[in-house]
Coordinates of all heavy atoms in Angstrom, one line a residue:
L50 N 1.7 -14.0 4.8 CA 2.3 -15.2 4.2 C 1.8 -15.4 2.8 O 0.6 -15.5 2.5 CB 2.0 -16.4 5.0 CG 2.8 -17.6 4.7 CD1 4.3 -17.5 4.8 CD2 2.3 -18.8 5.6
K51 N 2.7 -15.4 1.8 CA 2.3 -15.6 0.4 C 2.4 -17.1 0.1 O 1.6 -17.7 -0.5 CB 3.3 -14.8 -0.5 CG 2.8 -14.8 -2.0 CD 3.6 -14.0 -3.0 CE 4.6 -13.1 -2.6 NZ 5.2 -12.4 -3.7
E52 N 3.6 -17.6 0.4 CA 3.8 -19.1 0.2 C 4.9 -19.4 1.3 O 5.4 -18.5 2.0 CB 4.2 -19.4 -1.2 CG 5.4 -18.6 -1.7 CD 5.6 -18.7 -3.2 OE1 4.6 -18.6 -4.0 OE2 6.7 -19.0 -3.6
E53 N 5.2 -20.7 1.4 CA 6.2 -21.1 2.4 C 7.4 -20.2 2.5 O 8.2 -20.1 1.5 CB 6.6 -22.5 2.2 CG 7.4 -23.1 3.3 CD 7.7 -24.6 3.2 OE1 6.8 -25.3 2.5 OE2 8.7 -25.0 3.6
N54 N 7.6 -19.5 3.6 CA 8.8 -18.6 3.8 C 8.9 -17.5 2.8 O 10.0 -17.0 2.6 CB 10.1 -19.4 3.9 CG 10.1 -20.4 5.1 OD1 9.6 -20.1 6.1 ND2 10.7 -21.5 4.9
N55 N 7.8 -17.1 2.2 CA 7.8 -16.0 1.3 C 6.6 -15.1 1.8 O 5.5 -15.5 1.8 CB 7.6 -16.5 -0.1 CG 7.9 -15.4 -1.1 OD1 8.3 -14.3 -0.8 ND2 7.7 -15.7 -2.4
Y56 N 7.0 -13.8 2.0 CA 6.0 -12.9 2.6 C 5.7 -11.7 1.7 O 6.5 -11.2 1.0 CB 6.5 -12.4 4.0 CG 6.6 -13.5 5.0 CD1 7.8 -14.2 5.1 CD2 5.5 -13.8 5.8 CE1 7.9 -15.2 6.1 CE2 5.6 -14.8 6.8 CZ 6.8 -15.5 6.9 OH 6.9 -16.5 7.8
L57 N 4.5 -11.2 1.8 CA 4.1 -10.0 1.2 C 4.7 -8.8 1.9 O 5.0 -8.8 3.1 CB 2.5 -9.8 1.2 CG 1.7 -10.8 0.5 CD1 0.2 -10.7 0.8 CD2 1.9 -10.7 -1.0
K58 N 5.0 -7.7 1.1 CA 5.6 -6.5 1.7 C 4.5 -5.7 2.5 O 4.9 -5.0 3.4 CB 6.2 -5.6 0.6 CG 7.4 -6.2 0.0 CD 7.9 -5.3 -1.1 CE 9.1 -5.9 -1.8 NZ 9.6 -5.1 -2.8
Y59 N 3.3 -5.9 2.2 CA 2.2 -5.1 2.8 C 0.9 -5.8 2.7 O 0.7 -6.6 1.7 CB 2.1 -3.7 2.3 CG 1.7 -3.6 0.8 CD1 0.3 -3.5 0.5 CD2 2.6 -3.7 -0.2 CE1 -0.1 -3.5 -0.8 CE2 2.2 -3.6 -1.5 CZ 0.9 -3.6 -1.8 OH 0.5 -3.5 -3.1
V60 N -0.1 -5.4 3.5 CA -1.5 -5.8 3.4 C -2.3 -4.5 3.7 O -1.8 -3.6 4.4 CB -1.9 -7.0 4.3 CG1 -1.2 -8.2 4.0 CG2 -1.7 -6.6 5.8
V61 N -3.5 -4.5 3.2 CA -4.4 -3.4 3.5 C -5.5 -4.0 4.3 O -6.2 -5.0 4.0 CB -5.0 -2.8 2.1 CG1 -6.0 -1.8 2.5 CG2 -3.9 -2.2 1.3
V62 N -5.7 -3.4 5.5 CA -6.7 -3.9 6.5 C -7.9 -2.9 6.5 O -7.8 -1.7 6.6 CB -6.1 -3.9 7.9 CG1 -7.0 -4.5 8.9 CG2 -4.7 -4.6 7.9
Q63 N -9.1 -3.6 6.4 CA -10.3 -2.8 6.4 C -11.2 -3.3 7.5 O -11.1 -4.4 8.0 CB -11.1 -3.1 5.0 CG -10.3 -2.6 3.8 CD -10.9 -3.1 2.5 OE1 -11.4 -4.2 2.4 NE2 -10.9 -2.2 1.5
N64 N -12.1 -2.4 7.9 CA -13.1 -2.7 8.9 C -14.3 -1.8 8.6 O -14.0 -0.6 8.4 CB -12.6 -2.7 10.3 CG -13.7 -3.1 11.3 OD1 -14.6 -2.4 11.6 ND2 -13.5 -4.3 11.9
E65 N -15.5 -2.2 8.7 CA -16.7 -1.4 8.4 C -16.7 -0.2 9.4 O -17.3 0.9 9.0 CB -18.0 -2.2 8.5 CG -18.3 -2.8 9.8 CD -19.5 -3.7 9.8 OE1 -19.7 -4.3 8.7 OE2 -20.1 -3.8 10.8
S66 N -16.1 -0.2 10.5 CA -16.1 0.9 11.5 C -15.1 2.0 11.1 O -15.2 3.1 11.7 CB -15.8 0.4 12.9 OG -16.7 -0.5 13.3
L67 N -14.2 1.7 10.2 CA -13.2 2.6 9.8 C -13.6 3.4 8.5 O -14.0 2.8 7.6 CB -11.8 1.9 9.6 CG -11.2 1.2 10.7 CD1 -10.0 0.4 10.3 CD2 -10.9 2.1 11.9
Q68 N -13.3 4.7 8.5 CA -13.6 5.5 7.3 C -12.6 5.2 6.2 O -12.9 5.2 5.0 CB -13.7 7.0 7.7 CG -14.1 7.8 6.5 CD -14.2 9.3 6.9 OE1 -13.9 9.7 8.0 NE2 -14.6 10.1 5.9
Y69 N -11.3 5.0 6.6 CA -10.3 4.7 5.7 C -9.6 3.4 6.1 O -9.4 3.1 7.3 CB -9.2 5.8 5.7 CG -9.8 7.1 5.2 CD1 -10.3 8.1 6.1 CD2 -9.7 7.5 3.9 CE1 -10.8 9.3 5.6 CE2 -10.2 8.7 3.4 CZ -10.8 9.6 4.3 OH -11.2 10.7 3.8
P70 N -9.1 2.6 5.1 CA -8.3 1.4 5.5 C -6.9 1.8 6.0 O -6.5 3.0 6.0 CB -8.2 0.7 4.1 CG -8.5 1.7 3.1 CD -9.3 2.8 3.7
V71 N -6.3 0.8 6.5 CA -4.9 1.0 7.1 C -4.0 0.1 6.3 O -4.2 -1.1 6.1 CB -4.9 0.6 8.6 CG1 -3.5 0.7 9.2 CG2 -5.8 1.5 9.4
A72 N -2.9 0.6 5.8 CA -1.8 -0.2 5.1 C -0.8 -0.6 6.2 O -0.3 0.3 6.9 CB -1.2 0.7 4.0
V73 N -0.5 -1.9 6.2 CA 0.5 -2.4 7.2 C 1.7 -2.9 6.3 O 1.5 -3.9 5.6 CB -0.1 -3.5 8.1 CG1 1.0 -3.9 9.1 CG2 -1.3 -2.9 8.8
F74 N 2.8 -2.3 6.5 CA 4.0 -2.7 5.8 C 4.8 -3.6 6.7 O 5.0 -3.4 7.9 CB 4.9 -1.5 5.4 CG 4.3 -0.7 4.3 CD1 3.4 0.3 4.5 CD2 4.5 -1.1 3.0 CE1 2.8 1.0 3.5 CE2 3.9 -0.4 1.9 CZ 3.1 0.7 2.2
R75 N 5.4 -4.7 6.1 CA 6.2 -5.7 6.9 C 7.7 -5.5 6.4 O 8.0 -5.6 5.2 CB 5.8 -7.1 6.6 CG 6.6 -8.1 7.3 CD 6.1 -9.5 6.9 NE 6.7 -10.6 7.7 CZ 7.9 -11.1 7.5 NH1 8.7 -10.7 6.5 NH2 8.3 -12.0 8.3
F76 N 8.6 -5.1 7.3 CA 10.0 -5.0 7.0 C 10.8 -6.2 7.4 O 11.7 -6.6 6.7 CB 10.5 -3.7 7.7 CG 9.8 -2.5 7.3 CD1 8.9 -1.9 8.2 CD2 10.0 -1.9 6.1 CE1 8.2 -0.8 7.9 CE2 9.3 -0.8 5.7 CZ 8.4 -0.2 6.6
N77 N 10.4 -6.9 8.4 CA 10.9 -8.2 8.8 C 9.9 -8.8 9.8 O 8.9 -8.2 10.1 CB 12.3 -8.1 9.4 CG 12.5 -7.2 10.6 OD1 11.7 -7.4 11.6 ND2 13.4 -6.3 10.6
S78 N 10.3 -9.9 10.4 CA 9.3 -10.6 11.3 C 8.9 -9.8 12.6 O 7.9 -10.2 13.2 CB 9.8 -12.0 11.7 OG 11.0 -11.9 12.4
N79 N 9.7 -8.8 12.9 CA 9.4 -8.0 14.1 C 9.2 -6.5 13.9 O 8.9 -5.8 14.8 CB 10.5 -8.2 15.2 CG 10.6 -9.6 15.7 OD1 9.5 -10.2 16.1 ND2 11.7 -10.2 15.7
D80 N 9.3 -6.1 12.6 CA 9.2 -4.7 12.3 C 8.1 -4.4 11.3 O 8.2 -4.8 10.1 CB 10.6 -4.2 11.7 CG 10.7 -2.7 11.7 OD1 9.9 -2.0 12.3 OD2 11.6 -2.3 10.9
Y81 N 7.0 -3.7 11.8 CA 5.9 -3.4 10.9 C 5.6 -1.9 11.1 O 5.9 -1.3 12.1 CB 4.6 -4.2 11.4 CG 4.8 -5.7 11.2 CD1 5.3 -6.5 12.2 CD2 4.3 -6.3 10.1 CE1 5.5 -7.8 12.1 CE2 4.4 -7.7 9.9 CZ 5.0 -8.4 10.9 OH 5.1 -9.8 10.8
K82 N 4.9 -1.4 10.1 CA 4.5 0.0 10.1 C 3.0 0.1 9.6 O 2.7 -0.4 8.6 CB 5.4 0.9 9.2 CG 5.1 2.4 9.2 CD 5.7 3.0 10.4 CE 5.6 4.5 10.4 NZ 6.4 5.2 11.4
A83 N 2.1 0.8 10.4 CA 0.7 0.9 10.0 C 0.4 2.4 9.7 O 0.8 3.3 10.5 CB -0.2 0.4 11.2
L84 N -0.1 2.6 8.5 CA -0.4 3.9 8.0 C -1.9 4.1 7.6 O -2.4 3.2 6.9 CB 0.5 4.3 6.8 CG 2.0 4.2 7.1 CD1 2.7 4.3 5.7 CD2 2.4 5.3 8.0
L85 N -2.5 5.2 8.0 CA -3.9 5.5 7.6 C -3.8 5.9 6.1 O -3.0 6.8 5.8 CB -4.5 6.6 8.5 CG -5.9 6.9 8.2 CD1 -6.8 5.8 8.6 CD2 -6.3 8.2 9.0
M86 N -4.6 5.3 5.3 CA -4.6 5.5 3.9 C -5.5 6.7 3.5 O -6.3 6.7 2.6 CB -5.0 4.3 3.1 CG -4.1 3.1 3.3 SD -4.6 1.6 2.5 CE -4.6 2.1 0.8
K87 N -5.2 7.8 4.2 CA -5.9 9.1 3.9 C -4.9 10.2 3.6 O -4.0 10.5 4.4 CB -6.7 9.5 5.2 CG -7.4 10.9 5.1 CD -8.1 11.2 6.4 CE -8.7 12.6 6.2 NZ -9.3 13.0 7.5
C88 N -5.0 10.7 2.4 CA -4.1 11.8 1.9 C -4.2 13.0 2.8 O -5.3 13.4 3.1 CB -4.4 12.1 0.5 SG -3.2 13.3 -0.2
T89 N -3.1 13.5 3.2 CA -3.0 14.7 4.1 C -3.3 16.0 3.3 O -3.4 17.0 4.0 CB -1.7 14.7 4.9 OG1 -0.6 14.8 3.9 CG2 -1.5 13.6 5.8
H90 N -3.4 15.9 2.0 CA -3.7 17.1 1.2 C -5.1 17.4 1.3 O -5.5 18.5 1.7 CB -3.2 16.9 -0.2 CG -3.5 18.0 -1.1 ND1 -4.2 17.8 -2.3 CD2 -3.2 19.3 -1.1 CE1 -4.3 19.0 -2.9 NE2 -3.7 19.9 -2.2
Q91 N -6.0 16.5 0.8 CA -7.4 16.8 0.8 C -8.3 15.6 1.2 O -9.5 15.6 1.0 CB -7.9 17.3 -0.6 CG -7.4 18.7 -0.9 CD -8.0 19.2 -2.2 OE1 -8.5 18.5 -3.1 NE2 -7.9 20.5 -2.4
G92 N -7.7 14.6 1.8 CA -8.4 13.5 2.4 C -8.9 12.4 1.5 O -9.7 11.6 1.9
T93 N -8.3 12.3 0.3 CA -8.7 11.2 -0.6 C -8.1 9.9 -0.2 O -7.0 9.9 0.4 CB -8.2 11.6 -2.0 OG1 -8.7 12.8 -2.4 CG2 -8.5 10.5 -3.0
E94 N -8.8 8.8 -0.4 CA -8.2 7.5 0.0 C -7.0 7.2 -0.9 O -7.1 7.3 -2.1 CB -9.3 6.4 -0.1 CG -8.8 5.1 0.4 CD -9.9 4.0 0.4 OE1 -11.0 4.3 0.9 OE2 -9.6 2.9 0.0
L95 N -6.0 6.7 -0.3 CA -4.7 6.4 -1.1 C -4.8 5.0 -1.7 O -5.5 4.2 -1.2 CB -3.5 6.5 -0.1 CG -3.3 7.9 0.5 CD1 -2.2 7.9 1.5 CD2 -3.0 9.0 -0.6
Q96 N -3.9 4.8 -2.6 CA -3.7 3.5 -3.2 C -2.2 3.1 -2.9 O -1.4 3.9 -2.9 CB -3.9 3.5 -4.7 CG -5.3 3.9 -5.1 CD -5.5 4.2 -6.6 OE1 -4.6 4.6 -7.2 NE2 -6.7 4.1 -7.0
V97 N -2.0 1.8 -2.8 CA -0.7 1.3 -2.5 C -0.1 0.7 -3.8 O -0.7 -0.1 -4.5 CB -0.7 0.2 -1.4 CG1 0.7 -0.2 -1.0 CG2 -1.4 0.6 -0.2
F98 N 1.2 1.1 -4.1 CA 1.9 0.6 -5.2 C 3.3 0.2 -4.7 O 4.2 1.0 -4.6 CB 2.0 1.6 -6.3 CG 0.7 2.0 -6.9 CD1 0.1 3.1 -6.6 CD2 0.1 1.1 -7.9 CE1 -1.1 3.5 -7.1 CE2 -1.1 1.5 -8.4 CZ -1.7 2.6 -8.1
G99 N 3.5 -1.1 -4.3 CA 4.8 -1.6 -3.9 C 5.2 -0.9 -2.6 O 4.5 -1.1 -1.5
D100 N 6.2 -0.1 -2.6 CA 6.7 0.5 -1.4 C 6.3 2.0 -1.2 O 6.9 2.7 -0.5 CB 8.2 0.4 -1.3 CG 8.9 1.1 -2.5 OD1 8.2 1.6 -3.4 OD2 10.1 1.3 -2.5
R101 N 5.2 2.4 -1.9 CA 4.7 3.7 -1.8 C 3.2 3.8 -1.8 O 2.5 2.9 -2.3 CB 5.3 4.6 -2.9 CG 4.9 4.3 -4.3 CD 5.6 5.1 -5.3 NE 5.5 4.5 -6.6 CZ 4.4 4.6 -7.4 NH1 3.4 5.3 -7.0 NH2 4.4 4.1 -8.6

Side-chain angles (χ1 to χ4, degrees):
L50 191 60
K51 189 177 354 181
E52 51 192 52
E53 190 175 328
N54 295 324
N55 194 2
Y56 294 89
L57 297 170
K58 293 180 181 180
Y59 65 90
V60 297
V61 175
V62 186
Q63 301 172 317
N64 184 287
E65 62 187 29
S66 300
L67 299 175
Q68 185 176 1
Y69 295 91
V71 175
V73 182
F74 288 90
R75 181 185 190 276
F76 302 104
N77 61 49
S78 62
N79 293 312
D80 191 16
Y81 296 87
K82 182 82 172 190
L84 302 169
L85 185 64
M86 293 178 63
K87 177 183 178 183
C88 184
T89 57
H90 176 235
Q91 289 188 343
T93 303
E94 186 174 315
L95 300 173
Q96 298 170 335
V97 185
F98 295 100
D100 61 351
R101 63 184 165 80

